[in-house]
Amino acid sequence: MHDYQLPLVLFTVMSQWGIGAVLALSLYQWQNQTQNAAMLSTKALRTTIALIWLIEVVGSSMSMGHLGDPLGAYRSVLGIAHSWLSREAIAFVMLNGLISLWALASWVQPHAIRRNSLFGLFCGVIGLPVILITAQIYYQMQAHPLWHTPATQISFIGTALLLGFGSMIPWLRLQGKIISNSLKVGTLVGAFLVLVGLVMRTQVPGADVASLLLWWQVIASLIIGICIVTLSHNTSFTRTSLSIISILILFSGEITGRMLFYGNVMAQAPWF
């Protein structure tokens, strides 16, 4: 399991999920701010915000598990002039601060829909280049073709959109809300980017195209993601069990895909 780098798997997938979810919820709130029937109740909105905040912050903290000396994590910011790792650390500290402010403002004044959704959209849009900073850490390693490919950036952004928008659909249906086209389009764009990343990576020598992890990602991420969009107006998603299970399956697909992303390269040790 060491080859899969589970702390980094959880860090990258969950932080990207959190960014995508902030963007998806804020876009939904912005588009429906004049439609009372589409608005989440104060309790449901606060619960949703708390879950997104936990996904983002807990996911970001998982990166600490990869450090040999977690107490020395502060030193990771010292190489900003030359290190993408330092840039990533600083970028996530700033982003998590912004998302925490958004969560606090939305919690304290949940009825300030226009202001909170605009702030959330800002956080979500800012989060996309932060994701690309993480991707650059791997892309810069020219000795590893499975990382040094545009599929890395494409897949990371795809994960954010697929999980963020795709999980918001069953969650909002669970609250009895009608799903806007923007959430469906965001999910489909995310699925398309994940698919493009998969196809590109399978063309690189050394890719494990027979791995069960890859095929589970195809089923759990792509097929389930499309099913979520297709069934977005179905009353089945008003049942708690089906909504939660669909979100967890979608999440598991991106987890296994990221495990394969790390495992294909880390299993080639020594890899520097």
Side-chain angles (χ1 to χ4, degrees), residues 25 28-29 36-49 51 167-179 232 234-240 243-244 247:
L25 176 62
Y28 177 83
Q29 293 282 95
N36 292 331
M39 288 290 96
L40 289 168
S41 67
T42 298
K43 180 180 179 180
L45 179 60
R46 285 175 171 169
T47 300
T48 305
I49 290 168
L51 288 173
S167 63
M168 199 58 62
I169 290 175
W171 180 256
L172 289 173
R173 289 298 292 135
L174 185 58
Q175 318 303 322
K177 304 304 177 183
I178 299 297
I179 302 305
S232 58
N234 195 293
T235 56
S236 298
F237 276 139
T238 58
R239 295 202 297 267
T240 303
S243 293
I244 300 302
I247 292 172

Side-chain angles (χ1 to χ4, degrees), residues 38-162:
M39 288 290 96
L40 289 168
S41 67
T42 298
K43 180 180 179 180
L45 179 60
R46 285 175 171 169
T47 300
T48 305
I49 290 168
L51 288 173
I52 292 174
W53 183 84
L54 284 172
I55 289 170
E56 174 64 27
V57 175
V58 171
S60 297
S61 68
M62 294 303 296
S63 62
M64 300 283 287
H66 182 68
L67 298 177
D69 178 19
L71 295 179
Y74 66 92
R75 291 195 294 269
S76 65
V77 304
L78 301 180
I80 187 172
H82 56 82
S83 171
W84 284 103
L85 278 169
S86 294
R87 294 165 188 162
E88 178 194 51
I90 294 171
F92 265 103
V93 167
M94 295 174 64
L95 178 64
N96 286 341
L98 286 173
I99 290 178
S100 295
L101 287 175
W102 164 77
L104 181 61
S106 300
W107 183 280
V108 173
Q109 293 186 315
H111 299 296
I113 302 298
R114 181 180 177 85
R115 184 200 64 193
N116 294 338
S117 57
L118 275 175
F119 190 16
L121 286 170
F122 173 75
C123 292
V125 170
I126 290 296
L128 296 179
V130 173
I131 293 173
L132 293 178
I133 290 175
T134 299
Q136 185 63 25
I137 294 171
Y138 305 100
Y139 179 80
Q140 69 177 334
M141 298 185 186
Q142 299 183 22
H144 302 293
L146 285 167
W147 286 352
H148 186 65
T149 165
T152 298
Q153 290 92 335
I154 291 170
S155 297
F156 279 23
I157 296 295
T159 294
L161 297 179
L162 178 59

